[in-house]
Each structure stands twice: as structure tokens, then as C-alpha cells.
Amino acid sequence: MIRLLLLLPFIGLMIVPFYNIKEPLLLGFPFFYWYQLAWVPLTSLLTYIVYRSVRDVE
């Protein structure tokens, strides 16, 4: 069940019309760019969480 967390980055980045906008800006970057860049550490964190929870079970 915890493995479903790995679908979040896939779903969050798959729906391009959701984040294909310029506003709001963050440090001068349009939303389109910083939204995608925000998923990089978030995906790493989710992968770590799933790994730690599945590692002890199997």
C-alpha cells in the first residue's frame, strides 16, 4: 500500500496542462519550471520513505 506513494510524482508530472502556466513566479522562475524542479527532491524523499518501510517487511 505504501508503494502507491511512488505514483505521486508520475501523476503530478503527467498532467502537463495543470502546471503549464507562468504565474506564480518563485525567485523569477515561472511556475512551469519550479513545479517540475520541486518534484526532484520530493521524489527522492518519497522513494526513501517507501524504501525504508518496505525494506524491513521483506
Side-chain angles (χ1 to χ4, degrees):
M1 192 67 171
I2 191 90
R3 292 177 181 162
L4 292 176
L5 285 176
L6 296 176
L7 288 175
L8 289 176
F10 176 73
I11 293 169
L13 292 168
M14 185 176 72
I15 307 169
V16 176
F18 170 72
Y19 60 90
N20 191 14
I21 55 177
K22 291 183 181 180
E23 299 291 328
L25 296 176
L26 180 68
L27 301 173
F29 289 99
F31 182 73
F32 179 77
Y33 292 114
W34 67 259
Y35 178 79
Q36 293 176 66
L37 289 174
W39 276 104
V40 174
L42 185 59
T43 301
S44 298
L45 178 66
L46 290 172
T47 303
Y48 176 75
I49 291 170
V50 171
Y51 169 74
R52 292 292 298 211
S53 64
V54 173
R55 181 183 66 148
D56 297 332
V57 174
E58 293 179 356

